[in-house]
Amino acid sequence: MRRKKPRPRFPGLKLKDEDRELLRRKARERQTERTWKRIRMLQMLDEGKSLAATAAAVGSAVPSVRRVGERYLAAGVEVALKDAKR
């Protein structure tokens, strides 16, 4: 049986002020459930919540929260809120 290589620890994230404001505005607008969850994930990670606590609060899985956080760190808020290319 092959062992999975351990993933590096998620570094956490701090939203830029303009991204934080953009997420606040988007949270007040009508959004799909998937987009709303991603907005909330980014906000909770910005507040310093753990991946597990964030996943439990929004009803998602830890890998999904990690992916959203990593996409924000790599490419910004707009990319993190959208589905990845298939």
Side-chain angles (χ1 to χ4, degrees):
M1 187 166 162
R2 236 171 94 185
R3 285 189 162 216
K4 281 188 171 183
K5 197 167 35 169
R7 288 189 93 157
R9 183 165 165 74
F10 184 73
L13 64 88
K14 280 295 170 197
L15 296 172
K16 297 177 198 166
D17 290 335
E18 58 268 13
D19 291 343
R20 195 174 289 121
E21 184 56 37
L22 175 68
L23 290 176
R24 263 192 224 117
R25 278 194 316 249
K26 284 188 173 284
R28 284 188 229 121
E29 297 171 1
R30 188 175 190 100
Q31 301 291 340
T32 63
E33 181 179 359
R34 183 178 284 179
T35 302
W36 182 87
K37 281 184 176 185
R38 290 176 182 159
I39 290 169
R40 193 65 193 125
M41 286 176 194
L42 289 172
Q43 289 173 332
M44 291 183 75
L45 290 173
D46 182 49
E47 294 168 1
K49 305 288 186 204
S50 69
L51 294 173
T54 300
V58 298
S60 189
V62 172
S64 298
V65 177
R66 180 188 307 272
R67 258 190 314 275
V68 169
E70 288 173 348
R71 283 203 320 249
Y72 172 78
L73 292 172
V77 72
E78 291 298 330
V79 173
L81 296 180
K82 294 191 168 128
D83 288 333
K85 297 280 184 189
R86 301 236 176 219

